[in-house]
Amino acid sequence: MRALIVTAVAAEADSVVSGLAGPVPHPDPVTPEPRALPGSYLLSRRDLPGLAADVLVGGVGPAAVAAATATALALADYTLVVSAGIGGGFQPAAPVGSLVVADAVVAADLGAETPDGFLDVQELGFGHSVHLPPAELAARAAEATGALLAPVLTVSTVTGTAEGAAKLAARHPLAGAEAMEGFGVAEAAAAHGLPVLEIRAVSNAVGPRDRDAWRIGDALAALTAGFRALGPVLVHWGEHRHES
């Protein structure tokens, strides 16, 4: 089982690596590897029993992370792609410090505003707006990590108002979290015929922007704990997938 785990920034990657195999051993700052795109780099590789995990810092936003993910996938063979990091949680389902595993990776603001409301790119007939992770893998990941299993929305502009949060919740009433990278990672994975998984640790509530209320440290700690529990799930799923 070889997984590519894609994060936006180095702090998220550090938390993932720490969860998979203890404290990050690299010096600070990290020297980008030659194979990576400018602005992204392979932070660490972890070889565990049954699991080889490459952790990529891909940049912020769906475009940057899609480009970095696609480049990494063109240079090595993987079994699974995982989008991981922190994000906003829809209250009260996903409180700060909790985890959300995506049962759907949704492009929430890719589309058009119309007099009758927002139409996503799929409704416009220009493609698709949702990627579905393997259902069994997502369910097992949520169970093992204690996460909420729910759609995770990808946005290019983070929600910062009560009005914006209400509109998103109305369009996606089951959503658990929003972040900025999942759909970009999923698009790159789909182009290579690979399944995708997304896991988010909640650092703040979706809604009015209040930096004082953010708990980034708590979210990163939750991400570490999540990947400590997730490793065996990935190994089991990879073995089962190989057998089938």
Side-chain angles (χ1 to χ4, degrees), residues 24 44 71 77 87 92 94-95 109 120 122 124 126 128 161 167 180-181 184 189 201 208 222 238-239 243:
V24 181
S44 181
T71 298
D77 293 325
D109 60 3
D120 66 38
Q122 187 165 323
L124 292 170
F126 296 144
H128 54 269
T161 66
K167 286 181 178 179
M180 300 180 74
E181 289 80 34
E239 291 173 345
E243 291 171 359

Side-chain angles (χ1 to χ4, degrees), residues 12 14-15 24 27 44 53 55 60 78-79 93 107 136 143 157 166 216-217 235 240:
E12 294 169 331
D14 285 352
S15 295
V24 181
S44 181
V55 183
V60 175
Y78 293 96
T79 312
E136 181 182 359
E143 181 181 9
T157 301
I216 292 177
V235 171
H240 178 74

Side-chain angles (χ1 to χ4, degrees), residues 189-209:
H192 286 263
L194 293 173
V196 69
L197 182 69
E198 183 171 10
I199 180 168
R200 292 287 161 183
V202 177
S203 59
N204 57 279
V206 175
R209 186 174 174 83

